[in-house]
Amino acid sequence: MAGEEVVCGKVIKYDEVEATPVPREMATGTTIRWLISNEDGAKHFYMRLFEMEPGAHIKPHYHPWEHEIFILEGGGEVRIGDRVFKVEAGHVVFIPPNVEHEYKAGESGMKFLCIIPAAPTAEEVAEPLACK
Amino acid sequence: MAGEEVVCGKVIKYDEVEATPVPREMATGTTIRWLISNEDGAKHFYMRLFEMEPGAHIKPHYHPWEHEIFILEGGGEVRIGDRVFKVEAGHVVFIPPNVEHEYKAGESGMKFLCIIPAAPTAEEVAEPLACK
């Protein structure tokens, strides 16, 4: 149909996608690659790959959408609310909307996938949800 | 609030989640693990991990929702519409709704993540979309 693009998907190696530094106010020593986004025809959720240098830190934050995470390489610590988890390659992490979280890479660094929805999925809150 | 559960997320190793054989009419030599699903409080998209034995085959099919895939180990071939791609660990695959696709594992087998929306995201079609 004229003017309508048939999107046929894509196949790419992750490191063909540019790694952009995460701004200093949000993280140290961390890059993000947007592996699948709206530019690829994805409309509902996006796949990103984060690479954290040894000792890098993604600072505490919260937002009205969830994270679905898979640790690919290395490891470190993930805090969800009041709980801190040691993670390594093969760990799966689900962080619900509006729960505060942060990440610290261990001495090998940490590489992980993080999938997010295309738009917020919860109401904004003035304070993060309590999670003990 | 009474009766309202605060969901605090989860952290788990992928192999702590049961691997269920994919039915023979859909695939040979393939298991699926539902890593993140509605049972975990995920409402919008789900993360699954597939493991294919060497030479295993996920048969041609299509459906009105997309796939976001990351190849974790091994490799093989992914067909999207009329195009066949060789893939290996580190490849990212986006398959749009209603495009026919199939997977063949190579001699090392193939392990991959596949994220899907919680509900269909497109209209059902009588024939798969043309993708050349």
Side-chain angles (χ1 to χ4, degrees):
Chain A
M1 193 180 299
E4 184 168 330
E5 189 189 0
V6 176
V7 176
C8 286
K10 84 168 181 181
V11 177
I12 195 168
K13 204 78 181 270
Y14 85 89
D15 55 7
E16 295 177 71
V17 180
E18 186 185 13
T20 304
V22 176
R24 182 82 192 180
E25 61 269 25
M26 299 178 63
T28 60
T30 300
T31 63
I32 180 173
R33 301 177 199 258
W34 286 82
L35 301 183
I36 302 176
S37 71
N38 54 357
E39 292 178 18
D40 305 305
K43 296 179 182 169
H44 304 283
F45 49 96
Y46 302 147
M47 182 186 288
R48 300 99 46 84
L49 187 147
F50 288 84
E51 284 165 286
M52 302 179 71
E53 295 172 1
H57 184 205
I58 298 177
K59 298 177 185 179
H61 64 288
Y62 63 99
H63 40 62
W65 59 84
E66 65 271 42
H67 283 329
E68 299 193 10
I69 288 170
F70 191 92
I71 312 291
L72 296 169
E73 290 179 26
E77 285 182 359
V78 174
R79 180 171 67 79
I80 306 174
D82 289 350
R83 299 173 303 161
V84 176
F85 301 90
K86 288 205 179 300
V87 297
E88 60 182 17
H91 266 112
V92 178
V93 181
F94 176 64
I95 301 174
N98 288 322
V99 175
E100 190 174 73
H101 50 286
E102 69 180 305
Y103 314 82
K104 291 178 183 167
E107 60 190 17
S108 312
M110 182 158 67
K111 182 188 294 188
F112 63 92
L113 297 174
C114 178
I115 296 100
I116 57 167
T121 56
E123 295 294 318
E124 281 207 31
V125 292
E127 297 278 335
L129 296 184
C131 262
K132 293 181 188 299
Chain B
M1 193 181 298
E4 185 167 330
E5 189 189 1
V6 176
V7 176
C8 286
K10 84 169 180 181
V11 177
I12 195 168
K13 204 77 182 271
Y14 85 87
D15 56 6
E16 295 177 71
V17 180
E18 187 185 14
T20 305
V22 176
R24 181 82 193 180
E25 61 269 25
M26 299 179 62
T28 60
T30 300
T31 62
I32 181 172
R33 301 176 199 260
W34 287 82
L35 301 183
I36 302 176
S37 70
N38 56 356
E39 292 178 17
D40 306 305
K43 295 179 183 170
H44 304 284
F45 49 96
Y46 303 146
M47 182 186 288
R48 300 97 46 85
L49 188 148
F50 288 84
E51 283 164 288
M52 302 178 71
E53 295 172 2
H57 184 205
I58 299 177
K59 299 177 183 178
H61 64 288
Y62 64 98
H63 40 63
W65 58 85
E66 64 271 41
H67 284 329
E68 299 193 10
I69 288 170
F70 190 92
I71 312 292
L72 296 169
E73 290 179 27
E77 286 181 359
V78 174
R79 180 170 68 79
I80 305 175
D82 289 350
R83 299 174 302 161
V84 176
F85 301 90
K86 288 206 179 298
V87 297
E88 60 183 17
H91 266 111
V92 178
V93 181
F94 177 64
I95 301 174
N98 289 323
V99 175
E100 190 174 73
H101 50 285
E102 68 180 304
Y103 314 82
K104 290 177 182 167
E107 59 191 18
S108 311
M110 183 158 66
K111 183 189 291 188
F112 63 92
L113 297 174
C114 178
I115 296 97
I116 57 167
T121 56
E123 295 294 317
E124 282 207 29
V125 292
E127 298 276 336
L129 296 185
C131 261
K132 293 180 190 299

